[in-house]
Amino acid sequence: MTKRNTEVDIHEALLEGSAIRHTSRKYTKGSYLFREGDPIRGIYLVKSGKVQIGKVTPEGRELTLKICGENQMVGEITVFSGPSKYRLDAKAVEDTECLKITIEDLEEALQRDQQLAMAFMRWTGIDQQKTQTKFRDLLLHGKKGALYSTLIRLSNSYGESHPDGVLINMVLTNQELANFCGMTREVVNRMLSDLKKDGVVSMKDGKLIIHQIPRLKDEINCEECPIYLCKID
């Protein structure tokens, strides 16, 4: 299954196939679409820009679960259920435009359009699988699994061919990378330093180059999941 059959498919089914009602809103970098604890009122489709989905722990540590880009859906699924609240934060990490669909309009569209309902169920199933694989890597392989699997996922989402390996075409600070892994910046600094010494990764213009992806996969006993599951978005 390709991205065409997941994010883009649900995007087109929601807006084109069903002519579902929606509103458009722009968010400046650093502003929030919603915060943890806010009532869930709808879902968002990213038209342009990027949205970071994450959570702040009681100790104040930030955990980034994924970054959603163009044609991707943002929100927690609560259709055909009672009132609920968001368990995560959604923050624009660059100037972003989103289309918002209310829960009521979504439920109405799902009831009348079988094709839309099937696309929606397919998207929710894949999104759940992505979350499960991320927690699996963290629980089974600890800090190494968290960092190495994050690097692999970044290569699948933002990787570009490079003479020396795969270039992650995205500027990430070590703190931002640590947020993806649920670790401190100091731990990530140390682990990246070791990977650089071993020739597994290097930096160029603030971007990571991964020279030995098979080495990272071997270290965490990679199960070779389909690419559409092994992504950071």
Side-chain angles (χ1 to χ4, degrees):
M1 186 176 295
T2 64
K3 184 174 181 179
R4 172 70 186 178
N5 292 323
T6 54
E7 287 95 350
V8 173
D9 187 44
I10 185 64
H11 181 276
E12 293 182 350
L14 281 168
L15 296 184
E16 297 177 13
S18 302
I20 189 170
R21 290 187 295 269
H22 59 274
T23 56
S24 178
R25 182 174 176 183
K26 295 182 179 180
Y27 298 86
T28 57
K29 179 180 179 180
S31 60
Y32 287 85
L33 282 67
F34 53 80
R35 301 296 303 268
E36 180 180 1
D38 289 346
I40 296 179
R41 304 195 185 283
I43 61 170
Y44 302 79
L45 296 173
V46 181
K47 187 174 181 181
S48 63
K50 289 185 174 61
V51 177
Q52 173 184 293
I53 307 300
K55 184 180 183 69
V56 178
T57 69
E59 297 78 24
R61 181 177 299 175
E62 185 175 354
L63 174 63
T64 301
L65 297 179
K66 61 182 177 179
I67 293 179
C68 299
E70 183 179 353
N71 289 337
Q72 290 186 289
M73 191 155 63
V74 175
E76 298 175 40
I77 310 305
T78 59
V79 292
F80 307 113
S81 63
S84 187
K85 296 181 178 180
Y86 288 109
R87 294 169 294 175
L88 302 168
D89 296 329
K91 181 172 68 173
V93 292
E94 58 186 48
D95 290 344
T96 299
E97 182 177 1
C98 291
L99 307 180
K100 182 178 180 179
I101 300 173
T102 68
I103 293 295
E104 294 77 16
D105 286 337
L106 177 59
E107 290 176 344
E108 179 185 336
L110 291 173
Q111 288 179 312
R112 71 168 186 264
D113 190 325
Q114 182 180 16
Q115 181 179 356
L116 171 62
M118 292 177 62
F120 190 80
M121 287 189 292
R122 183 164 55 245
W123 177 84
T124 55
I126 290 173
D127 191 61
Q128 184 179 45
Q129 286 180 284
K130 287 181 179 179
T131 301
Q132 289 173 342
T133 60
K134 291 176 183 178
F135 282 113
R136 175 202 63 198
D137 293 335
L138 177 60
L139 292 174
L140 293 182
H141 304 289
K143 294 177 180 178
K144 179 183 291 187
L147 177 60
Y148 291 11
S149 64
T150 295
L151 293 176
I152 294 169
R153 287 188 172 88
L154 284 169
S155 72
N156 290 333
S157 294
Y158 300 102
E160 295 183 358
S161 180
H162 186 275
D164 296 322
V166 177
L167 171 70
I168 307 301
N169 192 20
M170 181 181 187
V171 176
L172 283 172
T173 66
N174 284 4
Q175 181 60 64
E176 289 170 330
L177 189 57
N179 291 345
F180 276 113
C181 305
M183 298 188 294
T184 65
R185 179 174 55 83
E186 290 75 18
V187 171
V188 168
N189 288 348
R190 184 168 61 252
M191 295 178 70
L192 280 179
S193 179
D194 291 339
L195 288 175
K196 290 174 183 177
K197 290 177 182 177
D198 292 340
V200 179
V201 303
S202 64
M203 297 290 294
K204 180 180 181 181
D205 300 326
K207 298 179 181 180
L208 277 166
I209 299 176
I210 304 179
H211 304 288
Q212 301 180 38
I213 287 183
R215 165 84 174 271
L216 296 178
K217 291 183 176 182
D218 288 343
E219 290 285 342
I220 60 172
N221 299 318
C222 177
E223 297 179 5
E224 297 293 344
C225 297
I227 295 296
Y228 70 85
L229 290 181
C230 189
K231 302 180 75 177
I232 209 71
D233 51 14

